[in-house]
Amino acid sequence: MDVPVLHRLALNESPYPPLPPVREAMQRAVAEAHRYPQFHPDDLTERIAAWCRVPSDRVAVGSGSVGVALQLLQAVVRPGDTMAYAWRTFDAYPVLAAIAGAQPVPVPLSPDGHQDLDALLAALDHRTRVVVLCNPHNPTGSLVTAGALSAFLRRVPRRVTVLLDEAYVEFARGADLPDTSALLDAHPNLLVLRTFSKAYGLAALRVGYGLGAPDLVERVRRQQLPFGINAVATAAVKASLRAESELRLRVDTVVAERERLRRALVSLGWCVRPGHANSVWLAAPDPVDEGAAALTGAGVQARHYPGEGLRLTVGDRNANDTVLTALAGVRVLGGAART
Ligand SMILES: Cc1ncc(COP(=O)(O)O)c(C=O)c1O
């Protein structure tokens, strides 16, 4: 018999529903649902730009950050072009490459779950149009540090666009975090992707944005579907920006729970490296398939990559305790010796 799903920890969603003022703003927008949203999302773009402290011609808003990524690919990819990215990674990249007609060039992660920047650079050739970096990385949570990112960007030829996906950036902690908006002037071929789906908890509403040099942003904006950002989502994002301090507290709670989960899993014998997203990554040769089965049996939906890894979204305390109880029943061979 199937065990009912009690905890959804497979999609790196926020465990928190929208804050009351955000919900109220959405309700007010629903009451006006017979009206179109703006033809182009100019108000929202300006609001996001002011919040990011950049001029508004550096911001392109889209239908989730995947929507912005697709707009970028549609703007730059020509027949025969390729798109390089580290693999394993976010499942959408190959899908977007296929839609835009780019040939994917997956480059294996290094054994410790980092994007192998030297191998990515070595994979670039005259056909490469786009290289994707995901930072923090999905699914491993690994981080490309400020110094490594700057060195990487200096070595990427200008004709290659760098798509830097920062969907999880709000969850990253540490002294060596890149300040990507400071890199935009020096790298007109860089588009930084951000989203309201993760830290801001609005995954269902589909709003993301890209930051880049004005010329690149203009090209991305030209691919924007007219009336494409809906009014309820716009209201929710604006209200979320007003509620930023409360949302940041929620992010701090997720980060604290991530660290609690990691420490507890390490003490159970799992080899868990520090991560910077709202998730924890368990990797083979630890018994990830047995772990996945134990979680399913406990009503926890996690993201299982058979034989390879298990990505657990950090949930609320109760969900995380359920995870720990389920995984405590899985024997990890040699765990203590490795950690
Ligand atoms: C690395 C990465 N980028 C982007 C997204 C999707 O973001 P959005 O909801 O803004 O399209 C995800 C969702 O899981 C993700 O893992």
Side-chain angles (χ1 to χ4, degrees):
M1 201 184 72
D2 281 353
V3 178
V5 175
L6 302 174
H7 302 292
R8 287 174 49 165
L9 305 181
L11 291 175
N12 284 0
E13 296 156 333
S14 168
Y16 304 110
L19 288 166
V22 176
R23 215 176 304 189
E24 283 153 24
M26 285 196 272
Q27 275 155 358
R28 284 194 295 276
V30 166
E32 294 289 312
H34 57 302
R35 303 291 182 197
Y36 278 103
Q38 279 197 299
F39 191 74
H40 296 303
D42 297 331
D43 284 353
L44 185 60
T45 304
E46 278 178 26
R47 185 71 188 84
I48 291 172
W51 172 63
C52 293
R53 297 193 170 86
V54 298
S56 55
D57 62 358
R58 292 186 167 247
V59 178
V61 176
S63 173
S65 55
V66 288
V68 182
L70 181 60
Q71 287 174 232
L72 172 80
L73 297 183
Q74 286 173 327
V76 302
V77 168
R78 300 284 166 267
D81 286 348
T82 66
M83 165 171 149
Y85 48 81
W87 189 258
R88 166 134 350 241
T89 191
F90 179 37
D91 300 313
Y93 301 150
V95 176
L96 298 174
I99 296 172
Q103 175 90 32
V105 178
V107 174
L109 295 175
S110 61
D112 62 358
H114 279 82
Q115 294 164 100
D116 185 336
L117 301 186
D118 288 333
L120 270 172
L121 287 165
L124 307 184
D125 63 17
H126 66 283
R127 296 201 309 151
T128 314
R129 182 65 52 206
V130 177
V131 59
V132 184
L133 272 191
C134 181
N135 202 35
H137 181 251
N138 174 9
T140 66
S142 65
L143 188 78
V144 177
T145 59
L149 178 63
S150 296
F152 177 83
L153 290 173
R154 280 196 298 272
R155 291 171 64 194
V156 175
R158 280 283 165 97
R159 63 183 163 70
V160 176
T161 304
V162 180
L163 190 56
L164 177 62
D165 185 343
E166 293 194 332
Y168 300 104
V169 71
E170 293 89 350
F171 302 99
R173 295 289 179 273
D176 207 6
L177 301 178
D179 174 6
T180 41
S181 35
L183 296 168
L184 298 177
D185 277 333
H187 301 284
N189 56 336
L190 171 64
L191 193 79
V192 178
L193 284 185
R194 304 255 179 90
T195 182
F196 289 97
S197 298
K198 305 294 182 184
Y200 292 84
L202 301 178
L205 299 178
R206 317 302 308 126
V207 183
Y209 59 100
L211 300 173
D215 284 355
L216 185 59
V217 162
E218 180 51 35
R219 296 177 71 192
V220 173
R221 282 184 184 179
R222 269 186 234 139
Q223 304 297 322
Q224 167 78 58
L225 194 68
F227 302 118
I229 305 296
N230 86 59
V232 178
T234 301
V237 168
K238 288 181 178 174
S240 295
L241 296 181
R242 287 192 292 273
E244 197 191 353
S245 48
E246 275 169 90
L247 288 164
R248 291 221 170 254
L249 288 178
R250 288 179 162 189
V251 170
D252 289 345
T253 305
V254 169
V255 169
E257 278 293 292
R258 175 186 75 202
E259 297 309 311
R260 181 177 78 91
L261 255 182
R262 191 176 88 81
R263 281 192 302 272
L265 288 167
V266 167
S267 67
L268 290 173
W270 295 84
C271 175
V272 191
R273 294 197 163 81
H276 295 267
N278 61 343
S279 56
V280 169
W281 174 244
L282 308 180
D286 278 354
V288 292
D289 299 339
E290 292 82 346
L295 289 169
T296 304
V300 176
Q301 231 176 26
R303 182 66 206 274
H304 178 207
Y305 306 84
E308 182 184 348
L310 196 51
R311 190 193 66 201
L312 299 163
T313 303
V314 178
D316 60 22
R317 202 173 171 91
N318 176 30
N320 301 333
D321 284 343
T322 307
V323 165
L324 290 173
T325 306
L327 292 181
V330 177
R331 194 155 163 251
V332 188
L333 288 175
R338 271 186 283 108
T339 53

